């Protein structure tokens, strides 16, 4: 659970509440420190940070740390920016500070952090797809937009693999739009196409951790509303976590593997990803496979499973907008039933629809579906 903080003195009561919330929820807190506190020579001013570290150590708060947020945006925020050398020096200084406080001498330090990479890539990538002023639902259906993340991740991983082989890249602060998103758009079903596609793309690129921006109370990219009622991306995330395991499988779809004409790029509106089913889901035995499909077409699409896949029963979890607002809906239905909390603490049962072996999967237009192929005993998913 990452968050950012500013000066120390007004922070202490808020930090207590934040840490207690994370601790009660079983989350680990990664605290982002303010990198804009600068000395006259533009070096990082660490006075408030040292006080914060000592306070947190006194409370025995188990915290990991990060410095700054999207330093490439500092010019628009405060009128100046630092280069990569300065950022490296700041991180070195923070590591020295952590080592000076015994309780945090071995604390995890994450970063550096950046927005969209240009010439240089950093280790914690924040990414937003579009300007928050865009207000067309059709923008969420553009395949070029959905492919943006792959291009950015390719740049980052190439640089990281060259200079620090084996170093992990996290995708932090992912959201559909910057400037807080768009009212009645970033918090609707339509934004889910970007979110689910991002999870699939990140997994294919070997990204272990994807952090969503944000959970609550910031703009319109949040996962819950002001009453803590789940918004569409929350439900997509819940279904994903319940069904999709970390092991990624290769997918080949006949009819989509077309050769582009010279100078053209094929951008398919039918996105298909496959993973081993989550081992933590005890409704499915090891060896099961989860396929998730995004249909951006305005018509229904039929998918036939090939080979041994067609010989097994399939559990369907089809997600569609609920209500008359269509893609602008803020409610989601699963296999035709509206999803809602049973009470303040209880999730609804995610009931699948059983498809007999050999049956063709039918994806309605502009929908997202998860399909668990049961008991297939896939070798890659048994280990």
């Amino acid at each position: 659970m990452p968050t950012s903080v500013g000066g120390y003195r007004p922070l202490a009561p808020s930090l207590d509440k934040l840490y207690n919330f994370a601790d009660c929820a079983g989350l680990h807190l990664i605290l982002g420190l303010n990198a804009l506190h600068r000395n006259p020579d533009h070096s990082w001013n660490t006075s408030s940070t040292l006080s914060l570290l000592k306070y947190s150590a006194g409370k025995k708060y188990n915290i990991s740390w990060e410095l700054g947020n999207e330093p490439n945006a500092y010019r628009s925020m405060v009128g100046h920016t630092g280069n990569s050398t300065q950022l490296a020096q700041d991180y070195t200084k923070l590591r020295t500070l952590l080592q000076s406080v015994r309780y945090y001498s071995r604390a995890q330090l994450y970063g550096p952090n950046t927005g969209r990479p240009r010439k240089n890539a950093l280790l914690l990538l924040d990414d937003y797809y579009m300007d928050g002023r865009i207000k067309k639902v059709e923008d969420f259906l553009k395949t070029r937009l959905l492919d943006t993340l792959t291009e950015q991740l390719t740049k980052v991983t190439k640089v990281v693999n060259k200079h620090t082989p084996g170093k992990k890249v996290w995708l932090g602060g992912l959201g559909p739009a910057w400037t807080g998103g768009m009212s009645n758009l970033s918090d609707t079903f339509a934004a889910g196409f970007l979110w689910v596609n991002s999870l699939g793309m990140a997994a294919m690129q070997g990204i272990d951790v994807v952090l969503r921006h944000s959970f609550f109370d910031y703009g319109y990219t949040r996962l819950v509303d002001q009453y803590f009622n789940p918004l569409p991306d929350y439900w997509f995330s819940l279904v994903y976590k319940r069904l999709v395991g970390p092991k990624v499988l290769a997918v080949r779809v006949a009819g989509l593997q077309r050769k582009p004409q010279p100078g053209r790029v094929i951008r398919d509106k039918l996105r298909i990803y496959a993973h081993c089913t989550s081992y933590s889901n005890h409704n499915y035995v090891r060896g099961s496979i989860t396929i998730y499909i995004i249909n951006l077409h305005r018509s229904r699409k039929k998918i036939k499973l090939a080979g041994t896949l067609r010989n097994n029963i399939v559990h369907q979890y089809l997600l569609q907008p609920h209500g008359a607002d269509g893609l602008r809906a803020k409610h989601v239905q699963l296999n035709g039933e509206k999803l809602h909390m049973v009470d303040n603490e209880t999730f609804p049962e995610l009931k699948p629809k059983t498809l007999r072996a050999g049956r063709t999967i039918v994806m309605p237009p502009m929908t997202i579906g998860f399909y668990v192929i049961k008991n297939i005993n896939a070798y890659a998913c048994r280990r």
Side-chain angles (χ1 to χ4, degrees), residues 284-300:
Y284 302 106
V285 298
R286 287 200 177 204
S288 299
I289 292 175
T290 298
I291 297 173
Y292 49 110
I293 306 172
I294 303 169
N295 182 17
L296 299 172
H297 290 276
R298 297 182 182 275
S299 59
R300 70 176 188 171

Side-chain angles (χ1 to χ4, degrees), residues 310-327:
R310 63 187 173 194
N311 299 328
N312 293 76
I313 290 174
V314 175
H315 275 181
Q316 171 184 277
Y317 298 81
L318 180 63
L319 297 162
Q320 297 173 277
H322 179 82
D325 293 327
L327 293 181

Side-chain angles (χ1 to χ4, degrees), residues 211-283:
L211 305 172
R212 173 56 191 249
H213 185 282
S214 57
F215 180 75
F216 176 71
D217 201 31
Y218 178 80
Y220 303 100
T221 62
R222 57 184 183 260
L223 294 177
V224 297
D225 66 16
Q226 64 268 37
Y227 304 109
F228 287 93
N229 296 310
L231 291 166
D233 278 3
Y234 191 104
W235 294 118
F236 296 136
S237 302
L238 178 65
V239 175
Y240 186 96
K241 290 291 287 185
R242 292 278 179 90
L243 301 179
V244 179
K247 185 171 289 188
V248 182
L249 304 175
V251 177
R252 188 182 188 283
V253 185
L256 292 185
Q257 311 300 331
R258 309 189 303 274
K259 291 185 178 180
Q261 298 177 7
R264 294 189 60 189
V265 177
I266 295 296
R267 299 186 186 274
D268 289 302
K269 289 194 171 186
L270 194 65
R271 306 291 173 109
I272 303 179
Y273 302 97
H275 292 233
C276 296
T277 302
S278 174
Y279 294 158
S280 62
N281 191 324
H282 300 300
N283 293 322

